[in-house]
């Protein structure tokens, strides 16, 4: 089926180099105005939120989610996708914890309790998921795990099969323990954050290794509108592969799991999603509306950054990017064309 090109004019943010469609935001704002809630929609849309991860880079997405919740848009989504930090941030929006999604990064994760390279000397993971899941999300910022069991907005967590490096989605889990194990699985990388997590007879690792930004997955699942929250600036996403030797950390991963090191490198992992978001006529869009919100500036935060001021800036830059996108949307007249169902 040939692709329609939905409003190829780029979204109005400071660094708008992706081919965005403001109809995504208009659809969300119309739902807010109508008081639309999950399970009782009056339109025929299926609006998906896709949240990028990347370890501490999730601070950008945390700020964006905080802005979306403050804008009263948390109930306007039909499904949320996320891998790694994106799964944690996306679930926070579903649970009404947008503020915590932003503050957890500088307040609770930018510390040696969570990330400490010295632990490698004792053959322990440098990233402590025990600290995050069993301490922070139980005592410091308690997550309402029970609410995920019957949430009207499903959270689809992307994980990677440790045996073949293929991504899968896990959702509608039956117990709190299963949810905790899946959240651990989507964030774990051997050597850096612990061994693969076993669940239902399979071994899972970080979902962003196999599918760091599951926009195409959302479209294939029937989404008519997709809002993607990216945790890198457009120049960072577009930088070309320098073609140098594989980094030491990636070579170390390859020793543990052959092929993991190459797949865990940013440029290679984001190429397909970037092509989809960059081309309004991309055949996989098939008439759907896509919009990406990206930070306009970089705070210099990487996956393992624990410099608190930098992480604070990342949260602020993410928040500002979402606020700017929402402020610009009403200035453009909504599309009157009726969206045909997908799937």
């Amino acid at each position: 089926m040939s692709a329609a090109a939905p409003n190829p004019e780029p979204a109005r943010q400071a660094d708008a180099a992706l081919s965005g469609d403001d109809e995504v935001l208009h659809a969300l704002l119309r739902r807010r105005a109508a008081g639309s809630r999950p399970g009782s929609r009056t339109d025929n849309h299926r609006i998906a939120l896709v949240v990028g991860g990347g370890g501490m880079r999730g601070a950008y997405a945390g700020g964006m989610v905080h802005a979306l919740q403050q804008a009263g848009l948390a109930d306007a989504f039909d499904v949320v996708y996320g891998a790694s930090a994106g799964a944690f941030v996306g679930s926070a929006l579903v649970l009404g914890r947008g503020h915590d999604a932003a503050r957890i990064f500088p307040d609770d994760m930018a510390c040696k309790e969570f990330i400490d390279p010295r632990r490698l000397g004792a053959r322990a993971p440098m990233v402590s998921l025990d600290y995050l899941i069993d301490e922070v999300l139980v005592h410091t910022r308690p997550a309402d795990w029970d609410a995920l069991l019957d949430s009207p907005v499903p959270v689809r967590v992307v994980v990677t099969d440790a045996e073949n490096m293929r991504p899968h989605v896990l959702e509608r889990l039956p117990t709190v323990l299963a949810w905790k194990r899946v959240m651990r699985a989507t964030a774990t990388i051997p050597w850096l954050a612990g061994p693969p997590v076993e669940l239902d007879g399979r071994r899972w690792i970080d979902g962003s290794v196999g599918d760091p930004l599951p926009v195409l997955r959302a479209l294939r699942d029937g989404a008519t509108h997709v809002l993607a929250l990216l945790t890198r600036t457009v120049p960072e996403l577009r930088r070309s592969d320098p073609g140098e030797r594989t980094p030491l950390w990636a070579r170390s991963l390859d020793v543990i799991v052959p092929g993991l090191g190459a797949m865990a490198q940013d440029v290679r992992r984001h190429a397909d999603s970037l092509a989809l978001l960059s081309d309004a006529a991309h055949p996989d869009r098939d008439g759907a509306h896509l919009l990406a919100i990206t930070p306009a500036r970089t705070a210099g935060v990487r996956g393992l950054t624990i410099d608190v001021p930098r992480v604070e800036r990342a949260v602020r830059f993410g928040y500002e990017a979402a606020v700017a996108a929402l402020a610009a949307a009403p200035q453009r007249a909504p599309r009157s064309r009726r969206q045909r169902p997908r799937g």
Side-chain angles (χ1 to χ4, degrees):
M1 187 179 301
S2 61
N7 190 10
E9 191 172 354
R12 292 162 31 173
Q13 351 178 18
D15 197 354
L18 301 180
S19 184
D21 183 353
D22 284 340
E23 167 59 15
V24 175
L25 295 181
H26 290 311
L28 291 169
L29 294 173
R30 288 196 298 269
R31 282 185 169 183
R32 182 185 68 182
S36 176
R37 298 184 62 81
S40 58
R41 305 295 191 197
T42 58
D43 57 43
N44 63 345
H45 305 326
R46 182 169 177 79
I47 305 180
L49 178 68
V50 175
V51 187
M56 294 301 291
R57 283 189 177 97
Y60 293 106
M64 294 173 188
V65 158
H66 186 199
L68 290 175
Q69 182 171 327
Q70 279 192 330
L73 297 176
D75 286 333
F77 295 97
D78 298 303
V79 60
V80 173
Y81 294 80
S84 187
F88 288 87
V89 172
S91 64
L93 180 66
V94 168
L95 297 175
R97 305 294 290 271
H99 178 265
D100 284 345
R103 295 312 313 167
I104 193 172
F105 288 94
D107 294 350
D108 306 299
M109 295 169 64
C111 60
K112 291 190 179 299
E113 287 82 2
F114 183 50
I115 300 173
D116 190 348
R118 296 175 299 180
R119 287 196 285 264
L120 294 175
R123 298 183 179 276
M126 67 180 295
V127 178
S128 176
L129 294 177
D130 288 342
Y131 166 76
L132 175 61
I133 295 174
D134 298 329
E135 178 61 33
V136 175
L137 294 178
V138 172
H139 302 293
T140 310
R141 296 182 188 275
D144 188 358
W145 298 100
D146 288 310
L148 288 175
L149 299 178
D150 55 2
S151 170
V153 178
V155 178
R156 295 183 172 174
V157 180
V158 182
V159 292
T160 302
D161 191 322
E163 302 304 320
N164 56 28
M165 298 293 109
R166 293 178 181 173
H168 295 261
V169 162
L170 301 179
E171 62 173 323
R172 300 296 188 189
L173 301 164
T175 66
V176 168
L177 178 59
W179 269 108
K180 288 184 177 181
R181 291 188 68 79
V182 166
M183 288 300 195
R184 180 184 293 271
T186 194
T188 195
I189 294 180
W191 185 65
L192 289 178
V197 175
E198 293 189 13
L199 185 66
D200 295 334
R202 302 174 77 171
R203 299 165 65 246
W204 307 105
I205 61 172
D206 192 321
S208 65
V209 171
D211 193 356
L213 194 68
V215 174
L216 180 57
R217 184 179 296 273
L219 292 177
R220 289 176 174 172
D221 287 347
T224 60
H225 299 64
V226 178
L227 178 62
L229 308 182
L230 277 60
T231 60
R232 293 159 177 79
T233 64
V234 172
E236 287 175 317
L237 287 166
R238 289 192 182 283
R239 72 179 188 272
S240 60
D241 192 332
E244 298 175 352
R245 293 181 61 194
T246 302
L248 175 60
W249 65 267
R251 297 202 304 272
S252 300
L253 291 180
D254 278 330
V255 171
I256 301 169
V257 181
L260 179 59
M263 294 187 68
Q265 295 178 69
D266 287 345
V267 174
R268 293 187 180 97
R269 290 188 303 150
H270 285 84
D272 291 342
S273 295
L274 187 60
L276 181 60
L277 291 167
S278 300
D279 183 3
H282 195 292
D284 285 326
R285 287 198 180 195
D286 192 24
H289 301 282
L290 273 64
L291 176 67
I293 297 179
T294 64
R297 296 176 287 170
T298 178
V301 170
R302 298 183 180 275
L304 301 175
T305 298
I306 58 172
D307 182 296
V308 174
R310 286 189 181 186
V311 177
E312 288 272 12
R313 286 196 295 274
V315 171
R316 185 171 76 252
F317 292 168
Y319 180 89
E320 291 172 352
V323 168
L326 291 169
Q331 300 175 18
R332 197 172 301 172
R335 302 284 301 277
S336 59
R337 179 173 65 87
R338 182 175 176 83
Q339 172 70 42
R340 61 183 174 81
R342 288 172 55 91

